[in-house]
Amino acid sequence: GESVGLHLPTLSVQEGDNSIINCAYSNSASDYFIWYKQESGKGPQFIIDIRSNMDKRQGQRVTVLLNKTVKHLSLQIAATQPGDSAVYFCAEKESHDMRFGAGTRLTVKP
Amino acid sequence: GAVVSQHPSRVICKSGTSVKIECRSLDFQATTMFWYRQFPKQSLMLMATSNEGSKATYEQGVEKDKFLINHASLTLSTLTVTSAHPEDSSFYICSARNPNRDSAGYGYTFGSGTRLTVV
């Protein structure tokens, strides 16, 4: 992902708006990607995943887009709610290791 | 669904002492577990991969003599921070991989983390 260890970028959206969170990954050989949500003081929670042979996958209110050409991943959250406020990480699977991108802090304003 | 329990959730220790953190897979057997470290407002950084019955594999820059990992059974891995110092204060998170690869997230399930504060 992005250079691990950098301070988190932030995204602030109005409740009800759509959110788009971006992530650049590093290894072109990664075959599987996951978006996680992390609330303060907790471990990451799985949101949605996508395999490298796909370019889009939809879940409930969430969509992940994968652009392998530029090694870019995005998470779209529809009708963002206050409960969506958290830090979001993309992760790429390299062999059996899961490696995390820098993360984005999403703040939803009422 | 797969559950990973991590204990303790918070610990405060004195500088120079050792602290042990446990990671248990509650409803599946995990031949591989992972330990991450997370500083405030930063991402999770993989420290080491814990393999049941064998030595852990450490990431570059992680001192194996300082962060002792033991994976003695298929459901338990422990991380011991030896001779802890204030700079070791961090949020430590474990992950276990459910070998049922049809599980969401490729079977990776995370513990709830341990907040270590060294004073």
Side-chain angles (χ1 to χ4, degrees):
Chain A
E2 298 277 316
S3 300
V4 174
L6 293 178
H7 285 252
L8 297 173
T10 58
L11 173 65
S12 183
V13 301
Q14 206 69 37
E15 181 178 359
D17 288 351
N18 296 335
S19 303
I20 300 176
I21 300 171
N22 297 302
C23 177
Y25 63 92
S26 57
N27 188 349
S28 57
S30 295
D31 60 357
Y32 184 77
F33 305 88
I34 302 175
W35 278 100
Y36 290 98
K37 174 185 180 182
Q38 186 182 29
E39 296 175 317
S40 181
K42 298 183 179 180
Q45 294 175 279
F46 170 86
I47 300 175
I48 192 168
D49 56 2
I50 189 168
R51 296 192 181 278
S52 59
N53 60 355
M54 302 170 69
D55 53 22
K56 180 179 180 179
R57 189 158 190 234
Q58 289 185 290
Q60 188 176 16
R61 279 204 308 123
V62 294
T63 301
V64 55
L65 299 178
L66 174 63
N67 185 331
K68 293 183 289 295
T69 302
V70 295
K71 293 191 285 188
H72 183 268
L73 204 62
S74 69
L75 176 70
Q76 300 177 2
I77 305 174
T80 314
Q81 302 168 0
D84 296 326
S85 293
V87 177
Y88 290 81
F89 294 98
C90 69
E92 59 183 309
K93 186 175 76 69
E94 299 178 14
S95 184
H96 297 298
D97 296 341
M98 193 66 69
R99 296 184 184 267
F100 286 75
T104 297
R105 179 175 297 282
L106 175 65
T107 302
V108 182
K109 296 178 289 187
Chain B
V3 177
V4 172
S5 172
Q6 189 171 339
H7 179 81
S9 58
R10 290 179 178 271
V11 58
I12 301 173
C13 70
K14 291 185 178 180
S15 188
T17 62
S18 296
V19 173
K20 180 185 284 188
I21 302 169
E22 293 187 348
C23 181
R24 294 181 185 273
S25 57
L26 297 186
D27 51 359
F28 64 96
Q29 294 184 329
T31 56
T32 307
M33 292 185 175
F34 305 88
W35 287 97
Y36 294 84
R37 180 175 184 176
Q38 185 177 32
F39 290 109
K41 298 185 179 181
Q42 293 190 18
S43 186
L44 285 75
M45 295 187 65
L46 181 64
M47 299 175 65
T49 301
S50 171
N51 304 297
E52 188 269 336
S54 64
K55 291 183 179 180
T57 304
Y58 289 83
E59 293 298 299
Q60 190 172 10
V62 177
E63 300 175 59
K64 61 181 181 180
D65 294 331
K66 180 167 187 61
F67 299 100
L68 300 180
I69 291 173
N70 185 284
H71 193 157
S73 79
L74 288 171
T75 59
L76 174 64
S77 175
T78 61
L79 169 68
T80 301
V81 183
T82 63
S83 186
H85 291 283
E87 57 266 30
D88 298 324
S89 298
S90 189
F91 193 53
Y92 293 86
I93 305 171
C94 72
S95 171
R97 190 159 66 93
N98 186 335
N100 177 5
R101 296 188 180 185
D102 292 334
S103 301
Y106 210 79
Y108 289 89
T109 304
F110 289 82
S112 53
T114 297
R115 173 76 59 195
L116 170 64
T117 304
V118 184
V119 298

